[in-house]
Amino acid sequence: MQAQEARTPALLPKDYKSDYKPIWCPGCGDYSVLSSITRALSELGVKRENAAVISGIGCSSRIPAYTSLYGFHGVHGRALALATGLKIARPDLTVLVTGGDGDGFSIGGNHFLHACRRNADLTYVVMDNQVYGMTKGQASPTTASQWEGSKLTPHGTGVSPFQPMAVALAAGANFLARGISSDPKGVAQLIVEAVRHPGFSFVQVLSQCVTYRPEQQEWRTIARPSHKEPTSNIARAGRRILDDDGFTTGIFYVGNRPAYLAPEETDKIVSDIEQRFMI
Amino acid sequence: MTAGQMLLDAAANAGYQGMMTRSLGPQIRGGEAAAFLRLSAHEVACPGDGVDILISFDWASTQRFSAEIELGPDSLVLFDPAAGAAPEMILNTGARMVDLPFKALLDDIEGGRPNMLGLGVLAGLIGLPENAVLAIVERALKRKGPKALEASSAGIRAGFEASAAMPATCRLGAGEKGARRWNISGNEAVGLGALRGGIRFVAAYPITPATEILEWLAPNLEHLGGELVQAEDELASINMAIGGSFGGIPTLTATSGPGLALMLESIGLSVASETPVVVVNVQRGGPSTGIPTKSEQSDLNIALYGLHGDAPHIVTAANSVSDCAFTAQWSVYLAEALQSAAIVLTDQLLGQTRAVVDEPANSGHVAARETAPAGLQDYRRYAVTESGVSPMAIPGTAGGEYVADGLEHSPIGRPSSQAEDHLAQLEKRQRKLDQFDYGDHWADIEGDGDTAVITWGSCTGPVHEACDRAREAGIGVRMVSLRLLAPMQTVKFAKAIKGVKRVLVVEQSHSQQFYRYVRAHFDLPKKVKVCARPGPLPVRPADIYEQIVNWS
Ligand SMILES: Cc1ncc(C[n+]2csc(CCOP(=O)(O)OP(=O)(O)O)c2C)c(N)n1
Ligand code: SF4
């Protein structure tokens, strides 16, 4: 079996891409995240048929169709739940979940908390552009409170932005990292580590929306890699995350909670179970 | 409740059939409770019309259930005079009042409890053998030690003794021993049917009155190598189920009205992406939180029409406690064969009734999804086929990689807003349901005559019984109980009511949901009566019989 695996030629990043042309605006950060994903899969050497990419709705959630893998483009906000069902039913598969900050932290916020808690072996890549791209530029949970760019909130949201990393840590995620779409190789590496780490891995990628947040093109000049070693100490990770301005990239936390595992042994057949009802 | 359960078990062991429904106050734990038992040497299809014997442990609690307890001059009411005088509303029924001095009779029995005494009295009155009752009590109380067992047994014996001096009332005929009988609730039967059909993954969120399905399934799925996940909410439940099914495993979720309302968007996802899933809805009184502990058939509309867009799907309904097993099993088979969502409707009455019934046969329906083999070239997940069903690739199958999508899509599964793709996929999804052969399972049809009673779900029990009585009275009557509500079997239905001059529609909803649905598909004969009543009071056979006999 192993010898045979060794003879299979490794797949290149492009082998994980489909020939379907993305609908994204030129310059959108999501192009780069897509290439990071395919690069990571190539490095991981995953067979196409053994991986699935699950998403909800949004510009970023379009990713599954642009890969050559199995995928599910579900409804808005429920990608994590769908992926959890898939992973528990089929623990043999590598399951990636992709989406946006609106999909994951607003309409899907409750699933985010519980996916962190449940700690199923999933890798969740959120393309955070601090805006709802698909519905043409409304504030998202991660939008700064004074941002006045949307007709829905002309005076800003007046609401503190959601802190995905801090929330994920508190909720029990087992691996936390942040990358930026201007550094596709770095993001690919984070995804490789995230997939390899058991349990629920969360990778926040600052991914610019050139259309509704053109100022985000400056992000590449603000972001900087962390020089600190990843920690498995929750308190230390928490301090680093809360002290940060949101532009430090790298791995923040590598936990060692056991991943959610379904029991697997079978000791009965249905007709045994039925006996209980017999008088 | 305990005594009721024991009485049912004892009757079952002595060869009788029967059922026990329960009625609870709103308290979370404790509080007043009423157990209604109906026992017979023959099949028991539903709770009866009136009460032959009422045993009241205290008047205040008993009065809370007075709307459900129909007493008449033939009824016996057993009560302890020490508990105070009987209330007017009980006396006014004309029922025969019989003293049952619990306190005095239990005086000599250390640790003796009124419910065991009551059990003995009831069993004695209806003619159950004393040792059948003692055997059940022994089995139930083995773990509590010899003292508790002796106290209970003594109480029961005292009860039997006391019953001898009481006025005669209806007694059971000879029981039929040796038949293969089961003691099962509707909720358990749904779980069993699901497992028989091949369900191996369940995700759900607790809700009354569906929770027992989950409680029964959780350990039993584990025995079969499957898994039940308690999800964070119903939005997660349905999506987890869809995810597991995408992975190739037959999946189910179970809920009640409020949960079904939350799931609707994603049931549409199952329909659009053609990912099979079974959703069981144990109906309770609605709308909103409604009456969680009581039965109603008022979720028919949401099950039929709740999805947005043109979203053909399967809606089935169980029509008896034991049919919960068949309908669940069949629904798994349908969802899988048709790669669609199946909503299975039961209700609180079916779900929480414990019945002694003939063993529900395994119908042999098992999930058999049409899958795509490995090594395909140019695989088209949503290929427009004649049957409307297209082979589904299961992750792990090389060459089958595709993206399941809730967006409208082309045959290969790429998002498409083209009119041509939309029409082709809409027609494919409709066609697969319309062309399928549902056999005879779409409805239960009984009897003949120019009067038809059309019904569904838990109303079928009382309708069945009322029709039997009508036939005994020489009135020809046909019963049509629909098990497959959608897609509506128009041709078969028309045949089933052919020649009928009068139609009575029976349902438990306030707004005549079922009647309107049937009307939408058929021109019913001119003479139509609708017996549509909301919960929480059960529909009684006598009410339906009355409607059949006095037509005008
Ligand atoms: C139930 C529901 N509500 C609203 C929408 C509309 N909608 C589609 S995408 C979206 C927000 C997407 O934002 P985000 O997840 O941040 O993704 P982005 O487009 O920015 O990548 C909204 C509100 C929907 N599809 N479904
Ligand atoms: S709207 Fe923004 S997020 Fe969407 S594709 Fe365009 S740039 Fe990307």
Side-chain angles (χ1 to χ4, degrees):
Chain A
M1 190 65 198
Q2 280 209 324
Q4 210 179 9
E5 299 261 16
R7 262 186 274 120
T8 328
L11 296 176
L12 300 172
K14 69 172 173 50
D15 297 323
Y16 293 96
K17 276 201 179 136
S18 74
D19 55 4
Y20 185 43
K21 193 172 162 295
I23 56 164
W24 296 321
C25 314
C28 175
D30 297 351
Y31 285 103
S32 153
V33 181
L34 171 61
S35 70
S36 299
I37 290 173
T38 56
R39 194 189 290 249
L41 289 166
S42 169
E43 180 164 343
L44 289 161
V46 182
K47 286 187 177 172
R48 277 195 295 240
E49 66 271 24
N50 292 340
V53 189
I54 311 301
S55 72
I57 299 293
C59 299
S60 40
S61 293
R62 288 282 183 140
I63 279 201
Y66 308 143
T67 73
S68 58
L69 308 164
Y70 279 95
F72 210 126
H73 185 215
V75 297
H76 193 28
R78 317 292 163 216
L80 282 172
L82 200 144
T84 300
L86 175 60
K87 183 67 191 181
I88 293 174
R90 289 288 307 277
D92 56 309
L93 301 174
T94 299
V95 182
L96 298 180
V97 190
T98 58
D101 39 298
D103 189 78
F105 310 142
S106 192
I107 192 167
N110 194 34
H111 308 307
F112 180 54
L113 293 181
H114 292 279
C116 292
R117 273 185 64 220
R118 197 173 282 114
N119 204 30
D121 191 10
L122 301 170
T123 295
Y124 185 31
V125 180
V126 172
M127 284 148 266
D128 190 349
N129 55 12
Q130 302 179 357
V131 76
Y132 288 0
M134 177 130 272
T135 46
K136 305 204 186 306
Q138 298 81 20
S140 88
T142 51
T143 303
S145 65
Q146 70 280 13
W147 182 69
E148 296 179 351
S150 162
K151 286 181 198 158
L152 264 65
T153 49
H155 315 296
T157 63
V159 178
S160 322
F162 186 81
Q163 305 282 329
M165 294 283 247
V167 170
L169 182 73
N174 215 28
F175 177 100
L176 293 174
R178 182 187 293 127
I180 180 159
S181 59
S182 53
D183 173 22
K185 277 194 192 156
V187 171
Q189 209 44 50
L190 295 176
I191 295 173
V192 168
E193 300 289 333
V195 171
R196 286 198 177 130
H197 194 69
F200 186 77
S201 302
F202 171 53
V203 182
Q204 179 193 22
V205 184
L206 304 172
S207 178
Q208 63 194 14
C209 173
V210 290
T211 303
Y212 298 107
R213 303 297 307 263
E215 70 279 15
Q216 290 175 347
Q217 293 179 64
E218 296 302 308
W219 276 358
R220 67 179 66 213
T221 63
I222 314 169
R224 64 203 102 71
S226 164
H227 296 295
K228 295 188 176 132
E229 281 297 302
T231 178
S232 59
N233 180 304
I234 290 210
R236 197 171 301 145
R239 232 171 297 123
R240 275 191 206 167
I241 287 167
L242 292 170
D243 283 346
D244 190 63
D245 63 355
F247 286 96
T248 303
T249 59
I251 299 172
F252 283 77
Y253 177 66
V254 182
N256 40 33
R257 289 173 61 216
Y260 184 96
L261 268 190
E264 283 229 40
E265 97 259 36
T266 305
D267 60 0
K268 281 192 183 166
I269 56 172
V270 179
S271 51
D272 299 336
I273 292 172
E274 296 180 3
Q275 296 307 312
R276 237 214 68 219
F277 295 120
M278 199 86 82
I279 288 163
Chain B
M1 284 301 136
T2 316
Q5 182 75 49
M6 287 175 173
L7 187 61
L8 183 66
D9 289 350
N13 275 3
Y16 298 100
Q17 303 187 58
M19 58 171 54
M20 179 174 114
T21 57
R22 23 182 214 163
S23 195
L24 304 172
Q27 293 86 351
I28 307 301
R29 232 201 145 102
E32 68 274 5
F36 293 85
L37 278 100
R38 192 175 187 210
L39 302 170
S40 168
H42 310 284
E43 180 201 4
V44 174
C46 59
D49 290 324
V51 170
D52 297 310
I53 310 169
L54 166 69
I55 182 157
S56 167
F57 292 97
D58 86 82
W59 287 125
S61 300
T62 304
Q63 272 178 281
R64 294 199 190 222
F65 298 104
S66 55
E68 292 166 67
I69 304 172
E70 298 207 12
L71 296 169
D74 292 334
S75 315
L76 285 191
V77 177
L78 317 183
F79 74 107
D80 191 341
E88 284 288 305
M89 63 204 292
I90 301 272
L91 294 174
N92 288 344
T93 62
R96 285 175 293 169
M97 306 301 289
V98 180
D99 284 2
L100 178 56
F102 290 112
K103 264 239 172 71
L105 289 169
L106 288 168
D107 227 15
D108 302 336
I109 303 172
E110 202 193 318
R113 299 211 321 263
N115 64 343
M116 290 299 114
L117 182 79
L119 171 60
V121 172
L122 281 176
L125 279 174
I126 62 174
L128 277 185
E130 188 171 316
N131 44 18
V133 183
L134 292 173
I136 288 295
V137 172
E138 190 175 334
R139 200 178 66 191
L141 298 183
K142 232 181 354 221
R143 274 178 304 143
K144 296 211 168 159
K147 255 199 164 152
L149 179 59
E150 189 31 50
S152 294
S153 305
I156 286 165
R157 273 185 240 111
F160 265 92
E161 241 167 74
S163 75
M166 291 183 180
T169 173
C170 52
R171 289 174 75 85
L172 290 168
E176 188 196 339
K177 274 207 168 166
R180 283 172 75 88
R181 292 270 165 72
W182 281 20
N183 183 333
I184 193 168
S185 75
N187 279 342
E188 289 170 345
V190 163
L192 176 65
L195 295 186
R196 281 174 166 180
I199 294 294
R200 291 297 178 271
F201 178 74
V202 172
Y205 189 76
I207 185 167
T208 304
T211 308
E212 295 91 1
I213 298 179
L214 312 175
E215 288 172 342
W216 187 84
L217 277 170
N220 288 312
L221 274 163
E222 263 186 46
H223 286 309
L224 302 174
E227 168 81 345
L228 178 140
V229 179
Q230 181 179 329
E232 54 269 32
D233 56 31
E234 287 84 354
L235 305 163
S237 310
I238 179 71
N239 279 282
M240 286 182 184
I242 292 172
S245 176
F246 172 72
I249 311 293
T251 61
L252 171 145
T253 183
T255 187
S256 189
L260 180 65
L262 283 179
M263 290 181 189
L264 291 176
E265 182 197 17
S266 299
I267 296 176
L269 175 65
S270 151
V271 171
S273 68
E274 303 197 51
T275 312
V277 71
V278 177
V279 180
V280 179
N281 176 23
V282 186
Q283 299 168 97
R284 61 191 221 182
S288 190
T289 312
I291 313 181
T293 53
K294 305 278 173 161
S295 213
E296 203 167 70
Q297 294 183 307
S298 48
D299 291 347
L300 177 64
N301 280 351
I302 190 180
L304 292 169
Y305 307 116
L307 308 188
H308 64 282
D310 288 316
H313 59 286
I314 301 151
V315 181
T316 58
N319 64 18
S320 71
V321 170
S322 80
D323 188 57
C324 285
F326 173 80
T327 295
Q329 181 175 7
W330 187 51
S331 303
V332 175
Y333 163 76
L334 292 180
E336 291 281 324
L338 294 166
Q339 299 181 16
S340 191
I343 300 177
V344 182
L345 297 174
T346 71
D347 58 29
Q348 183 274 335
L349 182 63
L350 296 177
Q352 294 190 329
T353 291
R354 178 158 289 287
V356 176
V357 288
D358 286 336
E359 173 178 348
N362 185 331
S363 67
H365 288 109
V366 282
R369 198 184 296 183
E370 192 176 338
T371 54
L376 287 176
Q377 298 285 316
D378 303 324
Y379 170 62
R380 291 147 69 89
R381 165 66 183 104
Y382 299 109
V384 178
T385 59
E386 208 174 308
S387 69
V389 176
S390 342
M392 179 172 179
I394 305 302
T397 310
E401 298 83 1
Y402 77 100
V403 176
D405 210 324
L407 278 176
E408 191 55 283
H409 37 257
S410 66
I412 60 165
R414 294 274 158 82
S416 167
S417 49
Q418 298 298 314
E420 186 192 340
D421 284 327
H422 188 40
L423 185 62
Q425 295 295 323
L426 282 172
E427 288 187 340
K428 160 188 183 351
R429 294 190 289 259
Q430 185 69 56
R431 184 163 67 241
K432 65 182 181 181
L433 298 197
D434 288 349
Q435 287 188 355
F436 193 78
D437 181 5
Y438 300 91
D440 290 338
H441 304 305
W442 71 281
D444 284 349
I445 303 169
E446 292 171 6
D448 216 344
D450 54 13
T451 299
V453 187
I454 302 169
T455 191
W456 72 285
S458 66
C459 280
T460 305
V463 167
H464 165 84
E465 194 167 319
C467 290
D468 271 355
R469 285 188 211 168
R471 277 177 220 120
E472 276 166 33
I475 301 170
V477 53
R478 201 177 298 183
M479 179 191 88
V480 182
S481 163
L482 267 62
R483 183 177 288 105
L484 183 66
L485 294 162
M488 184 49 124
Q489 300 299 290
T490 43
V491 176
K492 288 176 179 168
F493 186 90
K495 216 173 132 196
I497 60 162
K498 198 163 171 232
V500 160
K501 296 204 178 74
R502 286 179 296 268
V503 165
L504 172 65
V505 178
V506 181
E507 62 179 303
Q508 198 179 26
S509 88
H510 184 251
S511 59
Q512 308 189 331
Q513 297 185 13
F514 180 62
Y515 165 64
R516 286 161 198 264
Y517 181 58
V518 172
R519 271 301 300 269
H521 286 87
F522 303 99
D523 292 328
L524 294 173
K526 272 211 192 81
K527 287 188 181 165
V528 177
K529 273 202 301 192
V530 185
C531 171
R533 283 202 318 224
L537 297 182
V539 174
R540 308 263 184 210
D543 304 336
I544 301 165
Y545 176 72
E546 185 65 23
Q547 304 248 15
I548 298 173
V549 176
N550 299 318
W551 189 264
S552 58

